[in-house]
Amino acid sequence: MLNHCLLTLILGKASFDSYIIKFFSNYLVDRKTQYFWNSFSSLFFNVDIRVGQGSALSPILLALYLVSFLHILESQLRNLKIPVSILSFVDDGLLVAQSKSFNYSNFLLFCSYNIVFNLLSKFGLLIKHLKTEVFYFTRLHGIFNLPPLNLSSIGSPILYLKDFWKYLSFIFDRKLLFYQHINFYSNKVISTIKCMKILGN
């Protein structure tokens, strides 16, 4: 839900030349879109937020927009002495907490998630709560019950732990053995080869 006015303000704060700011202002303001499906064409709709889907400029504009957010977020976490690291890949965010106590890790994640949620709202951005996941890495052996992360007080569901976690096409297990990752991609390769054999007669 990227706000165009805020983006031009960010470009100004980042000391971009005035002609670049003017270009993006003209590029974004009064944007319209139209949809086509076979012979049907819709009316024009105003697009006052977001950036163009599939446009080469969209990832650059989003990165510039998120840099300010990440800078403020890191400052707030540092000032509140919350030892949580942030990783971001385009619009995929990752909060990393390290502790010998699972309950304390949950506390750190709850606090940082709450800060992220409130700060994103000020930037006109949203977290998709249903896509939020929690995963623990641990050296413990045997069967153990890890506590869920309860985010219900800030509108997100209670997050129960998963046995495996997929992030940026990597499948992680709790002990970083990567058996599941290897098994998944090995089967994918075998299936592809079988399909090639059928298609190749």
Side-chain angles (χ1 to χ4, degrees):
M1 308 295 286
L2 188 149
N3 184 296
H4 296 165
C5 294
L6 184 55
L7 176 60
T8 53
L9 183 65
I10 288 169
L11 292 173
K13 291 283 186 181
S15 300
F16 280 90
D17 287 335
S18 58
Y19 71 90
I20 294 176
I21 298 169
K22 187 176 179 181
F23 166 78
F24 279 114
S25 296
N26 292 334
Y27 172 72
L28 293 169
V29 172
D30 295 328
R31 287 176 67 90
K32 297 181 184 298
T33 189
Q34 187 179 27
Y35 298 97
F36 293 91
W37 183 264
N38 294 330
S39 59
F40 167 79
S41 61
S42 73
L43 299 172
F44 281 96
F45 296 94
N46 289 325
V47 186
D48 299 323
I49 54 175
R50 305 188 183 207
V51 287
Q53 185 73 19
S55 168
L57 291 173
S58 297
I60 298 167
L61 292 172
L62 180 62
L64 290 168
Y65 197 81
L66 288 178
V67 160
S68 299
F69 160 76
L70 291 171
H71 175 72
I72 295 168
L73 176 60
E74 286 180 340
S75 298
Q76 286 191 7
L77 292 175
R78 188 168 52 250
N79 292 338
L80 294 170
K81 297 182 179 178
I82 299 175
V84 170
S85 303
I86 309 149
L87 297 174
S88 178
F89 183 79
V90 190
D91 61 349
D92 269 334
L94 184 63
L95 298 172
V96 181
Q98 298 181 43
S99 172
K100 293 181 179 179
S101 164
F102 291 116
N103 288 318
Y104 185 60
S105 290
N106 273 354
F107 171 73
L108 294 175
L109 290 172
F110 175 83
C111 293
S112 54
Y113 189 89
N114 195 14
I115 293 168
V116 167
F117 176 72
N118 290 322
L119 188 57
L120 282 174
S121 298
K122 292 177 181 177
F123 272 75
L125 301 172
L126 299 172
I127 291 180
K128 293 182 180 176
H129 293 305
L130 294 176
K131 290 189 174 182
T132 306
E133 298 175 323
V134 63
F135 189 81
Y136 286 135
F137 295 105
T138 179
R139 295 177 181 173
L140 294 177
H141 296 284
I143 299 171
F144 48 91
N145 294 318
L146 300 177
L149 178 57
N150 189 349
L151 299 172
S152 57
S153 61
I154 51 177
S156 182
I158 297 174
L159 302 179
Y160 294 94
L161 304 181
K162 303 170 73 174
D163 292 328
F164 302 100
W165 172 53
K166 190 171 184 179
Y167 185 68
L168 303 179
S169 297
F170 285 90
I171 301 172
F172 297 93
D173 58 271
R174 291 196 182 116
K175 298 184 185 303
L176 291 177
L177 299 175
F178 289 100
Y179 292 152
Q180 187 71 13
H181 180 82
I182 293 167
N183 184 52
F184 175 81
Y185 283 103
S186 298
N187 285 326
K188 194 171 181 180
V189 168
I190 291 167
S191 299
T192 304
I193 290 170
K194 287 180 178 178
C195 290
M196 288 171 65
K197 186 177 179 180
I198 294 166
L199 291 172
N201 197 22

